[in-house]
Each structure stands twice: as structure tokens, then as C-alpha cells.
Amino acid sequence: MNFKIESGKGVELVLVPENFEGLNVCDETLGYLKESFSPKLGNILTILGPGKNERVFVGIGKESNLDHLRRAIFAGTKKIIEIKKDMKFSLKKVSSFEKEDVLKVLVEGALQATYKFDKYLKKDEDEDERETTVFIEGAEGLENLVEEYKNVLEGVFVTRDLVNTPANDMYPEVLANFAKEDLGNLGVNVKVLGKSEIEALNMEAFLQVARGSDKEPKFIIMEYLPVANEKPIMLVGKGLTYDAGGYAIKPAGSMASMKSDMGGSAAVIGAIHALAKNKVKKNVVGIVAACENLISGDAYKNGDIIGSMKGLTIEVVNTDAEGRLTLADALYYAATKYDGKVIVDLATLTGACIVGLGMYTTGSVSNCDENYNKIAKAFEKSGELVWRWPTFEVHREAVKGTISDLLNSVSGGGGSITAGLFLENFVEERPWVHLDIAGPAFGDSQKGYLPKGATGVPVKSLYEFVKNY
């Protein structure tokens, strides 16, 4: 998709509020709209034909907000792409928001309509791969903003592609090689540690999870450090490129989508991609412990007591609560090897988070009000949803063992909270925000501009968080 800040020929995308106010159309067209069109969010009316002003009208509903604009622009752009036309949009006709904010959601909403994951589909030789041009009126001087948000969406699409790739083609070595090539080309220093180097660091919790697979685990360190003498923001992503559950094996229906269990690591890579491509002047270090959780004669078992890089022992109550074990060593590494401003971890961690918050909301546990509030603001600005769980001492006590220091899984409910507080033991009291993206990272069906499969949540929010930190 091309964006041009100029007047041009194409189908005009017109956003229609529920009260029809502020529309720059003739009385005849306004009367027709009021009679024939219900401007509920996402509803579309198309007026095409020779000798007419070709338009696609899209409803934005009663509550006019930036996310409604984003969703309406997505729907309208998708329609214009289907009819193989170029598009034009006037910022001057959306006066209720700052011009820069409208331009951001225009670029995002339009680009969201272009995403598809079709690398495994047979190509139709007759398929028209026409590229749509979007002409934007009223955005003179804002060319850099267009480019910035194109790069942010590129980071979102990087994340989606990584997560959507099945596990036979996406395993720790492939993920590590992608990070080295993609981010290395953007000036990011990427280091990859193999099994012997991971063993030398005494990352026993991580290694125990990896034992069941013959794919070698990889520990990926991504340093984007454009500013001298500034502490970095640490981003730690869960990197289970496939999770069968280990000996607490998942049923087939639950296992089929477990290529998505590396959504946290993919979001870290996608966010750093966007930050580096836009040359954001903030230091960031990404950490990923990548492995598979499978069954073999050497796999770790329910009831095992294992060690960790920190030295704490952990009773493995459930081998399908493996993500927190890999994150334990990754977080401790981030907390002790770097003097970071804050640690943010992302993980498709618990089904309990989906039970509590549904498929579209990220659950959070944090030891720092200031940093959680910054995260929440970034989510709101990006049109993504987050909710902070309450935490009490009873939850912290629940993850303590009797024959080990910690338990990797506990009964009694509150599983998303106790999983987060298990991780708290490994951040060494540094400012920390945990994000459980089990719901929003991957969907069984399309929801607005979020496609079926990998969504890329929360790359946009991470970008805003780091940029504005």
C-alpha cells in the first residue's frame, strides 16, 4: 500500500457518525444517507459509478473515539481494496480529533486491511496483486508520521508472521536466526546462546523444559542501544515455539494452536523491529528463552524438583505450566546482567487469564504503580486492552512450596495472579510489569481489524510505552 499526501483520484472514504453531523455532502446525498443507511460501527454503504463522486460511507457509531475511527477505516479500506480502486481521505473532514491522531489511525486502519498470511496457500497465477494507493488531503508536513506508523504496522506484521508459522518451520534455531537477520539489518546487536552456554549460566529451569525436544534451545539477546550512558528498558518474551504440555499433555484440540505459545517473544521482536526502524532514541534490550515443551524419555516430569539460575528450587506440579519456568531464568538474567529502568515480560501464560478477562484483554501483575500506569496509557493510546490484577499476600504464599522453595502451579483459582507472582520471585525487586497475553495474542476468528490467528498484540502498545518512556 502506498500513501501520498496530496489530492488524487480514487474512492473517497467518508466516516459517518450516528447523528450524521459534520458530513460535507450535498443535501440530496445527506437525505439519501439518513433514509437508507444505518451508521452503526462498521456498516458500509458504497456509491460507485461513472459521472459520480465515488464514495464508501462507513459508520463510526454513537461513541466517537479513535479506536472506532481505526475500526471504521479498516472496514472501509477493505471494501475499497476488494473493488480494486485507489482511496482518498480528507483529514479536514474529521474535526473532532487532533489531525496527527487521525492520521495515525488512518495509516494503521488502512494497513490492517492489507494483512494476509498466505505463504502456505497455492498461488493463483491469475490473481491480481494490485497495490492500493491512499491519497491523504490535509496532512501536509506530516510525511514522517505516515512513515513512522507504516513501520509500527510492519513490526505488528512481523510478529503475526512469526506466530502464524507452524512449529515444523518455526523452532528455536529458526526464531534466533530470524532475529539475527531481521534486527541485525536494523542495527540491533543480536547474540544467540546455545545449549552449552545456557548450561554454563545454570539456567536449569529453562533447560528442564527443553529436555523433551531434540531441537536445541536458544537464548536470544537483542540490544538496541542508540543512546550512550542510558539504562535500557528490558523486554522479556516467552518463547515456547511449540507447547504440547509435556507429560501433562494437552488434548489435540488445545494443542493445534500451540505454535502461538511464542507470542510473547514474537511481540518483543516486532516491537524492537519498529523501534529500530524508526530510530527511536530509547535503549531497549530484548530477552527470549526459546524452546519446545514435548514428551520423550528424557523429558521432565510432574513431581520433579528442579533448580533455577537464581538458585531457588521449584517443584514441577504441572509440566504444562512451563512458560513461567523459562521466564524465571530469562527474568533473572535480565535483572542481574543489566541495570534496566524497568522489566516488562510478555507471555501467553495462563488459560486462567482468558477465563477472567476474555479473549481480548491482557492481564497484568506489577510491583510498580508508575510503570504499570505508563503501560496502561500506552495500551489505551493503541486501542488495546489491559487490566491489572489485584494481588494479596495470600497469593504470594500460595506459590511457596513445602519441599521446594516454589511451586510452578497451584490450585484454588486466581491462576493468572499466582503465575505472575511466581515470576516476581526472579525480578530482584526491580520495577516490573508482567503482561499475560494468552487471550489477545491469538484468535480463533476475526474480530474487527484483528485477524484470525496471530494478532500482533501488544506490539503497538510496547512501541508507545518505550517511545514515550
Side-chain angles (χ1 to χ4, degrees):
M1 177 172 280
N2 296 314
F3 293 89
K4 293 186 178 181
I5 298 181
E6 60 185 62
S7 298
K9 293 182 178 180
V11 179
E12 184 179 9
L13 178 62
V14 182
L15 304 179
V16 185
E18 193 169 78
N19 58 13
F20 293 96
E21 289 184 1
L23 291 180
N24 186 18
V25 297
C26 68
D27 290 343
E28 181 183 357
T29 300
L30 182 59
Y32 178 73
L33 286 172
K34 288 183 176 180
E35 181 180 330
S36 308
F37 181 56
S38 173
K40 292 182 180 179
L41 180 61
N43 279 3
I44 294 175
L45 175 67
T46 303
I47 299 178
L48 303 173
K52 295 182 179 180
N53 291 323
E54 295 190 311
R55 291 169 173 155
V56 168
F57 295 93
V58 187
I60 58 175
K62 184 176 182 179
E63 294 183 15
S64 180
N65 58 52
L66 286 171
D67 194 52
H68 279 201
L69 297 191
R70 184 186 287 114
R71 291 159 66 182
I73 289 166
F74 162 80
T77 306
K78 204 162 188 67
K79 183 65 177 178
I80 292 170
I81 291 172
E82 287 174 4
I83 59 181
K84 302 185 186 302
K85 300 263 189 175
D86 290 332
M87 178 173 115
K88 61 182 180 180
F89 186 90
S90 176
L91 296 184
K92 299 173 184 177
K93 295 183 180 181
V94 186
S95 58
S96 53
F97 299 97
E98 293 294 329
K99 181 168 62 175
E100 291 80 2
D101 289 334
V102 177
L103 182 59
K104 290 177 185 178
V105 298
L106 169 64
V107 173
E108 181 191 341
L111 284 171
Q112 293 277 16
T114 69
Y115 180 78
K116 54 186 177 181
F117 184 75
D118 58 1
K119 65 184 288 185
Y120 292 94
L121 296 176
K122 183 180 179 180
K123 297 297 183 288
D124 183 352
E125 295 180 0
D126 298 326
E127 186 177 352
D128 182 8
E129 292 290 342
R130 183 184 185 278
E131 189 169 40
T132 302
T133 297
V134 178
F135 296 98
I136 309 171
E137 298 178 7
E140 290 75 14
L142 297 176
E143 291 82 1
N144 288 343
L145 195 58
V146 172
E147 192 64 26
E148 178 186 3
Y149 273 79
K150 282 177 64 178
N151 292 336
V152 172
L153 265 292
E154 190 174 288
V156 172
F157 293 172
V158 162
T159 296
R160 289 180 183 174
D161 286 350
L162 288 172
V163 176
N164 281 329
T165 302
N168 56 316
D169 288 334
M170 179 58 62
Y171 42 91
E173 183 180 8
V174 175
L175 184 64
N177 288 342
F178 178 88
K180 288 190 74 170
E181 181 177 352
D182 180 79
L183 299 182
N185 289 335
L186 297 173
V188 180
N189 179 34
V190 180
K191 297 179 283 188
V192 179
L193 308 184
K195 185 177 179 182
S196 61
E197 295 162 297
I198 297 167
E199 288 172 339
L201 289 167
N202 294 315
M203 291 186 173
E204 187 181 342
F206 173 31
L207 289 166
Q208 288 290 328
V209 176
R211 276 175 58 182
S213 173
D214 59 7
K215 301 291 189 187
E216 183 179 354
K218 300 292 181 183
F219 194 77
I220 309 166
I221 305 158
M222 298 156 281
E223 297 176 330
Y224 174 64
L225 305 172
V227 184
N229 302 317
E230 182 181 282
K231 294 182 179 181
I233 295 167
M234 307 298 298
L235 302 179
V236 180
K238 176 182 171 182
L240 268 291
T241 57
Y242 192 75
D243 177 23
Y247 275 105
I249 193 165
K250 299 177 186 288
S254 300
M255 207 185 296
S257 63
M258 280 298 103
K259 63 182 181 181
S260 68
D261 217 19
M262 42 76 74
S265 63
V268 169
I269 293 170
I272 294 176
H273 176 102
L275 291 161
K277 192 153 188 182
N278 282 328
K279 296 181 168 54
V280 174
K281 297 299 182 183
K282 295 292 170 69
N283 288 349
V284 179
V285 175
I287 303 290
V288 169
C291 68
E292 297 179 321
N293 184 27
L294 301 178
I295 289 175
S296 76
D298 192 46
Y300 78 137
K301 299 170 290 295
N302 299 302
D304 286 356
I305 296 178
I306 64 175
S308 64
M309 184 181 180
K310 182 175 179 178
L312 293 176
T313 58
I314 305 163
E315 184 177 358
V316 181
V317 178
N318 186 341
T319 61
D320 197 23
E322 83 301 324
R324 66 201 72 178
L325 299 177
T326 66
L327 284 169
D329 284 343
L331 285 167
Y332 187 73
Y333 183 93
T336 58
K337 300 297 184 181
Y338 291 89
D339 185 18
K341 293 178 181 178
V342 59
I343 301 172
V344 179
D345 80 77
L346 305 89
T348 47
L349 202 63
T350 67
C353 194
I354 298 174
V355 172
L357 297 177
M359 288 298 297
Y360 305 109
T361 304
T362 294
S364 181
V365 172
S366 178
N367 64 4
C368 179
D369 293 344
E370 178 184 358
N371 280 287
Y372 173 77
N373 290 337
K374 288 179 179 179
I375 283 279
K377 185 176 181 179
F379 267 76
E380 182 179 10
K381 188 172 184 178
S382 302
E384 297 176 336
L385 304 176
V386 66
W387 189 260
R388 186 179 184 181
W389 293 116
T391 58
F392 301 101
E393 199 57 34
V394 65
H395 297 123
R396 289 184 173 85
E397 290 296 320
V399 301
K400 294 180 180 179
T402 55
I403 59 173
S404 65
D405 296 314
L406 297 171
L407 305 172
N408 86 320
S409 181
V410 300
S411 58
S416 187
I417 299 171
T418 53
L421 292 177
F422 174 91
L423 299 177
E424 186 182 45
N425 288 280
F426 298 91
V427 300
E428 300 301 279
E429 299 184 352
R430 290 188 178 273
W432 161 74
V433 180
H434 161 66
L435 299 173
D436 189 338
I437 58 173
F442 195 87
D444 293 332
S445 60
Q446 181 176 333
K447 175 72 171 178
Y449 56 82
L450 296 179
K452 179 180 179 180
T455 65
V457 174
V459 169
K460 295 184 298 175
S461 297
L462 289 179
Y463 179 85
E464 291 292 339
F465 173 72
V466 172
K467 179 187 174 184
N468 297 302
Y469 195 88

